[in-house]
Amino acid sequence: MVELKTDKSIDAMYEAGQVVADALKAVRKAAAVGVSLLELDEVAREVLRGAGAGSPFLGYRPSFAPTPFPAVICASVNDAIVHGVPDGYRLRDGDLVSVDFGAELGGWAGDSAISFIVGTPRADDVRLVETAERALEAGIGAAVVGNRIGDIAHAIGTVCRAAGYGILDGFGGHGIGRRMHEDPPVPNEGRPGRGMPLRHGMVLAIEPMLIGGGTDGFRTAPDGWTLRTVDGSRAAHAEHTVAITTAGPRVLTAR
């Protein structure tokens, strides 16, 4: 069941989204050669504490997970696509890092992800990150009243496939509101004109997840959470929480 949010509720979700934006900005600023993933997680926790917000990630345990998630960020490095568990790994020059983060404030959730390169960038990594961001922009551009979920999926998939990248199989975006994951699912590839119609008040987390090697498959790391590329190629992830409105898409997790 899809809950249509009121304009007042969307405004409240914007406040949660701004906590997310602040935390990701702080994490990106703190990420440098020698900094550990656990230290980045602490940076995000400090933003939550300062805002009086909670974490929808900490303790989260979907059906596939062997244990509750132990952190407030997902930190996925190089061949890790998504769901990376922060640990003592210290960032190295040239690492490609994706950070996914959510916040709960006033009973509403926000969810966003960024990818960036630490230190000296490689041209292939720059192109991968830029394509993930363009795919996200294309998906947001299709998130308008009168379109359908398939239009968002088609917009994202077109950008990814044209660049020669793979799309993480079986994972995509989702509705969001009182809970981090709600209906409807938002695939990263699909046929235009198909799927649920987009209506004013729908709020979606749109999140392309790209695999640099061009394949769609993944392997699950021993921690039961981290999804890695099967060929060792690098990956990138970009995400925003977006409200569908008659005035156009409203990005709730962007400053």
Side-chain angles (χ1 to χ4, degrees):
M1 179 178 176
V2 176
E3 177 192 4
L4 297 180
K5 279 71 175 178
T6 65
D7 292 345
K8 184 177 179 180
S9 295
I10 291 173
D11 287 341
M13 290 190 70
Y14 173 81
E15 297 304 318
Q18 294 309 286
V19 177
V20 176
D22 287 346
L24 288 176
K25 181 179 179 181
V27 168
R28 175 67 185 90
K29 183 178 180 180
V33 173
V35 175
S36 76
L37 301 183
L38 283 173
E39 288 170 337
L40 295 184
D41 187 70
E42 182 55 35
V43 168
R45 289 175 188 251
E46 184 59 32
V47 173
L48 287 175
R49 285 191 288 265
S55 170
F57 287 22
L58 185 63
Y60 180 60
R61 189 178 183 181
S63 58
F64 66 80
T67 58
F69 196 75
V72 303
I73 65 170
C74 294
S76 305
V77 181
N78 296 332
D79 68 324
I81 313 164
V82 290
H83 302 165
V85 179
D87 57 16
Y89 176 84
R90 294 193 176 277
L91 296 172
R92 301 171 184 173
D93 187 53
D95 277 346
L96 196 168
V97 183
S98 297
V99 176
D100 193 356
F101 176 78
E104 294 174 335
L105 185 69
W108 297 100
D111 188 11
S112 183
I114 58 173
S115 293
F116 55 87
I117 300 155
V118 176
T120 308
R122 304 193 316 189
D124 287 349
D125 290 344
V126 172
R127 178 174 177 265
L128 179 60
V129 171
E130 290 178 345
T131 304
E133 293 171 348
R134 285 195 295 109
L136 176 58
E137 290 171 2
I140 293 171
V144 296
V145 173
N147 271 359
R148 292 177 176 265
I149 291 290
D151 294 302
I152 297 175
H154 178 71
I156 293 170
T158 297
V159 172
C160 298
R161 296 302 189 191
Y165 295 131
I167 299 170
L168 179 61
D169 188 30
F171 288 82
H174 49 89
I176 185 171
R178 294 287 184 183
R179 294 176 290 109
M180 180 171 60
H181 291 119
E182 297 183 350
D183 288 332
V186 185
N188 285 325
E189 191 168 33
R191 297 176 62 182
R194 299 296 183 92
M196 181 177 293
L198 302 180
R199 299 170 59 189
H200 180 90
M202 291 176 68
V203 183
L204 307 174
I206 300 173
E207 52 176 325
M209 292 165 269
L210 280 60
I211 297 173
T215 62
D216 296 351
F218 63 90
R219 62 182 180 87
T220 304
D223 61 25
W225 276 99
T226 308
L227 305 185
R228 297 188 178 275
T229 62
V230 294
D231 58 4
S233 64
R234 296 191 172 196
H237 180 199
E239 178 183 17
H240 272 309
T241 296
V242 182
I244 312 297
T245 80
T246 53
R250 181 181 177 188
V251 181
L252 305 181
T253 46
R255 275 292 183 193

